[in-house]
């Protein structure tokens, strides 16, 4: 989704006309039309105001990704309280299973960052896989797709928190690009 499409959808979801939104932001209706038609972008102050008004992040508005909902639920945890059992292979698995006991199935995921063209060239010259290995060492957490039947959640479990966000489309493939990451289902389920 483009910025314009996201703004239009958020405005309609909020039940606002272009005129009403323009008044709230102290801009012209033509500016709103221009933004929604991708003929221009709001300045930083207006992006902040739109983010606050529609309860979404500025990152969500500016990113091209549309696989994630804007709402993130982040809950603190102490990973040491969880013990693995059954099919679980570690504490992260135990934490996500405890958080979503009624899930139909939980798919553990591997994550790698989608490299830009220049990053891919640098990575190839240095040693293929170096940049993703460094990224993996920085992000020591577990990723999961939780199938709740009617919807799928992307869940990130770390030592300090469980972060969940609803996917706008079901994760039905073995591999899927979501945002700036490529997620692949692990060979086991919970």
């Amino acid at each position: 989704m483009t910025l314009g499409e996201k703004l239009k959808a958020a405005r309609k979801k909020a039940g606002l006309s272009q005129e009403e939104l323009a008044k709230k932001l102290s801009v012209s209706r033509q500016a709103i039309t221009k933004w929604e038609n991708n003929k221009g972008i709001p300045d930083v102050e207006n992006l902040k105001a739109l983010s606050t008004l529609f309860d979404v992040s500025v990152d969500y508005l500016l990113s091209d990704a549309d696989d994630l909902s804007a709402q993130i639920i982040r809950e603190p945890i102490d990973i040491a309280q969880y013990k693995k059992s059954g099919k679980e292979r570690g504490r992260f698995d135990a934490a996500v299973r405890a958080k979503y006991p009624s899930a139909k199935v939980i798919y553990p995921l591997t994550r790698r960052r989608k490299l830009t063209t220049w990053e891919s060239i640098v990575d190839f010259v240095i040693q293929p896989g170096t940049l993703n290995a460094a990224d993996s060492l920085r992000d020591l957490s577990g990723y999961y797709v939780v199938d709740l039947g009617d919807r799928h959640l992307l869940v990130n479990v770390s030592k300090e928190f469980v972060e969940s966000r609803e996917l706008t489309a079901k994760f039905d493939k073995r591999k899927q690009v979501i945002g700036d990451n490529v997620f692949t289902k692990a060979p086991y389920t919970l």
Side-chain angles (χ1 to χ4, degrees):
M1 275 178 104
T2 65
L3 170 64
E5 292 168 333
K6 289 177 184 178
L7 290 176
K8 188 174 188 175
R11 176 180 59 78
K12 287 185 175 186
K13 184 177 178 184
L16 296 172
S17 67
Q18 285 185 341
E19 189 74 34
E20 292 166 330
L21 179 58
K23 281 184 183 177
K24 288 184 179 291
L25 297 175
S26 299
V27 298
S28 68
R29 186 197 55 73
Q30 289 81 2
I32 304 296
T33 301
K34 194 163 119 179
W35 299 342
E36 288 184 358
N37 290 326
N38 295 306
K39 304 275 187 214
I41 61 170
D43 63 22
V44 173
E45 293 305 315
N46 282 321
L47 279 171
K48 288 179 185 176
L50 288 162
S51 167
T52 302
L53 180 66
F54 297 136
D55 194 26
V56 296
S57 70
V58 172
D59 288 342
Y60 167 75
L61 290 172
L62 294 176
S63 77
D64 289 336
D66 60 354
D67 293 331
L68 298 173
S69 73
Q71 184 177 11
I72 301 170
I73 299 171
R74 188 175 197 168
E75 300 172 70
I77 62 165
D78 177 10
I79 199 66
Q81 294 179 348
Y82 299 93
K83 305 287 184 235
K84 68 177 186 167
S85 65
K87 292 198 240 179
E88 299 159 0
R89 296 189 178 181
R91 293 178 190 258
F92 290 167
D93 286 4
V96 75
R97 171 55 71 197
K99 174 75 178 137
Y100 296 101
S102 63
K104 287 176 64 175
V105 65
I106 297 174
Y107 301 98
L109 302 171
T110 58
R111 180 196 68 84
R112 71 177 170 80
R113 194 166 59 86
K114 191 170 80 174
L115 301 177
T116 65
T117 303
W118 285 109
E119 288 173 328
S120 296
I121 292 169
V122 170
D123 189 58
F124 180 77
V125 170
I126 295 173
Q127 173 67 41
T130 302
L131 293 179
N132 271 316
D135 182 55
S136 294
L137 289 172
R138 266 192 314 254
D139 180 16
L140 298 175
S141 60
Y143 290 88
Y144 303 86
V145 168
V146 177
D147 183 348
L148 298 175
D150 60 336
R151 58 195 173 111
H152 284 182
L153 303 176
L154 177 64
V155 178
N156 178 8
V157 180
S158 75
K159 291 180 179 180
E160 298 89 26
F161 63 83
V162 173
E163 184 177 272
S164 306
R165 53 171 93 194
E166 190 172 341
L167 294 171
T168 57
K170 290 192 173 187
F171 194 119
D172 292 330
K173 303 173 194 158
R174 185 176 180 286
K175 184 186 286 189
Q176 193 162 329
V177 176
I178 301 175
D180 294 334
N181 298 295
V182 178
F183 292 97
T184 306
K185 289 180 181 176
Y188 71 102
T189 60
L190 300 178

